Amino acid sequence: MILADKIIRLRKQCGWSQEDLAEKMNVSRQSVSKWESANSIPDLNRIITLAEIFEVSTDFLLKDETEVSETLESVSQTNLISLEQALAYTDKKVTVSELITKGVVLCVCSVVPLFFFLAMAETSRLGISGNTAAVLGVVSILIMISIAVSYFIKTNQYEDDFVAIDKQPFELAYGVHSVISDKLHRFRPRYNRRLSIAIFLFIVSFVPLMIANQLFSGGTSVLMMLIVMMLMIATGIYVISSVSAKYTAYSHILQEGGLKEGRSKRAKKAEKLAAFYWPMLVAIYLGWSLWTMNWGETWIIWPVGAVLFVALIGLVELFDKDDLHGTD
C-alpha cells in the first residue's frame, strides 16, 4: 500500500475530512487532496508531522511493503461525490423545497377563502349568509389542504436521490470543493437579500391587523386584514424557501456530511412536531369556529398558535442541550 492510500485510511479512521487534516497540518485542503491522489508527496517534515498526528511510525508511512493493520482495513469506505452529483443533489433539493413550499403556502392560505366569504356575508355583497360562508370556507380549506398533502407526498419520490449525501459519509472529488465554495460565495448575497425580505414580511404581517383593530370597529375590516396578513406570511415563505434549500445544500456539501448529530436530531424532532402541530391547530380552529359560529374572533388562534409553535421549538432545543450537558 502506497503513502497516498495510507493517508486516506488513517484520516478516515480518525473520522476527519480533508479540511480537518489540512488544518491540523497547517496546509491547504488542495495539498491534502494531492497527497491522497498521489499527485504529490509531502516533504520529510510533513511526513514526521503526519506520523505524530496519526500516532504511527514514519516507517509505516514511507515503506510501501508495510501492511495496514486490521483496524485500518475495517474502516468503512465513503462515497466519492463528483461535481455532477453535487450539482444534481442541489437541484433536487431545490425541487423538493419548491414542492414543500407549495404545500405550506396552500396550508397558510387555506383560510383566506373562509375569511373572504365571511367578510362578504357581513356586507351582504354576494348575497350569502354567515352559515353559507362558513360552509364554503371550510370546503375551500379541505380542498387546499388536500392539494397541499399531495405535494408533501410527492416529495417521497426523491428520497433515494439524497441517500449518498444525506445519510452516508462522503467525500468530494478533487476540485469539487472549490467549485461549490465559489458558487456559495456568489449565491450568499442573493440568499441574504431574500432572507431580509422574508423576515421583514413576517414582522410587518401583523401590522395591518393591529391597525384594523385600532381604527375600525367592524368585523369586515378585521377579516380583510387577516387575509392581508396570511398573504404576507405566505409570500415570505415563498421568498425564502427555494434559496434557503440551495444555501443549505451547498453548505452541507462543503461540510462533507459533517452535520452535527445533535442538530440533525433537533431538526427531525421539529419536523415531527410540525407534522402533528399544524393539523391539530387546524382541527381546533375549525371545531371552535363551527361550535361557536364566531369566525370574527376565532382567527386569534393563528397568531397565538404561531408564537406557541416557536416557543415549543425553543423548548425542544433547550431540553436537547440539557441532555447533551447531562451526558458529557
Side-chain angles (χ1 to χ4, degrees), residues 179-233:
V179 173
I180 299 299
S181 294
D182 180 64
K183 285 182 174 292
L184 179 60
H185 177 73
R186 288 187 284 110
F187 182 73
R188 185 174 282 113
R190 181 187 174 193
Y191 169 76
N192 290 335
R193 286 195 300 270
R194 290 286 194 95
L195 180 61
S196 300
I197 293 172
I199 292 174
F200 173 79
L201 288 171
F202 293 147
I203 292 175
V204 303
S205 62
F206 292 96
V207 173
L209 186 59
M210 291 187 291
I211 293 175
N213 281 327
Q214 293 295 324
L215 301 181
F216 306 101
S217 58
T220 302
S221 300
V222 173
L223 289 170
M224 297 307 294
M225 290 304 100
L226 275 171
I227 293 175
V228 174
M229 181 185 74
M230 291 300 179
L231 292 178
M232 291 179 71
I233 292 174

Side-chain angles (χ1 to χ4, degrees), residues 2-246:
I2 63 174
L3 174 61
D5 294 331
K6 292 177 182 178
I7 294 175
I8 293 173
R9 293 293 183 89
L10 288 166
R11 176 176 60 77
K12 290 179 180 179
Q13 182 185 15
C14 294
W16 298 336
S17 66
Q18 289 184 343
E19 281 188 336
D20 293 333
L21 179 57
E23 183 178 350
K24 295 178 184 297
M25 293 290 298
N26 197 25
V27 298
S28 66
R29 181 185 181 279
Q30 287 73 17
S31 296
V32 174
S33 179
K34 289 180 180 179
W35 296 345
E36 294 186 352
S37 60
N39 288 328
S40 68
I41 299 175
D43 58 33
L44 182 58
N45 289 331
R46 303 292 188 197
I47 294 290
I48 295 173
T49 304
L50 283 170
E52 292 175 351
I53 290 175
F54 291 134
E55 297 182 354
V56 296
S57 66
T58 54
D59 286 344
F60 174 85
L61 294 174
L62 294 173
K63 293 182 180 179
D64 290 348
E65 65 271 13
T66 303
E67 295 296 330
V68 295
S69 65
E70 293 182 1
T71 303
L72 291 181
E73 291 290 359
S74 64
V75 175
S76 60
Q77 296 295 321
T78 58
N79 295 317
L80 187 65
I81 302 300
S82 66
L83 179 60
E84 291 75 15
Q85 289 175 303
L87 295 178
Y89 168 83
T90 302
D91 291 340
K92 289 178 180 178
K93 277 291 186 181
V94 172
T95 299
V96 170
S97 175
E98 290 173 348
L99 290 172
I100 294 175
T101 300
K102 290 177 182 178
V104 172
V105 168
L106 281 171
C107 288
V108 172
C109 293
S110 63
V111 293
V112 169
L114 174 62
F115 294 152
F116 174 77
F117 288 130
L118 289 174
M120 293 301 99
E122 284 199 11
T123 58
S124 302
R125 291 184 180 178
L126 296 181
I128 58 176
S129 64
N131 290 337
T132 302
V135 171
L136 291 174
V138 171
V139 170
S140 299
I141 289 175
L142 295 177
I143 292 174
M144 294 177 73
I145 289 180
S146 298
I147 297 173
V149 170
S150 70
Y151 283 124
F152 296 146
I153 294 175
K154 193 174 181 180
T155 61
N156 292 332
Q157 70 186 35
Y158 294 95
E159 282 190 1
D160 293 340
D161 297 327
F162 302 140
V163 171
I165 294 181
D166 278 349
K167 299 182 179 180
Q168 296 178 0
F170 69 90
E171 290 190 358
L172 302 178
Y174 180 71
V176 176
H177 190 278
S178 60
V179 173
I180 299 299
S181 294
D182 180 64
K183 285 182 174 292
L184 179 60
H185 177 73
R186 288 187 284 110
F187 182 73
R188 185 174 282 113
R190 181 187 174 193
Y191 169 76
N192 290 335
R193 286 195 300 270
R194 290 286 194 95
L195 180 61
S196 300
I197 293 172
I199 292 174
F200 173 79
L201 288 171
F202 293 147
I203 292 175
V204 303
S205 62
F206 292 96
V207 173
L209 186 59
M210 291 187 291
I211 293 175
N213 281 327
Q214 293 295 324
L215 301 181
F216 306 101
S217 58
T220 302
S221 300
V222 173
L223 289 170
M224 297 307 294
M225 290 304 100
L226 275 171
I227 293 175
V228 174
M229 181 185 74
M230 291 300 179
L231 292 178
M232 291 179 71
I233 292 174
T235 302
I237 294 171
Y238 177 80
V239 165
I240 192 58
S241 292
S242 61
V243 293
S244 179
K246 180 175 286 190

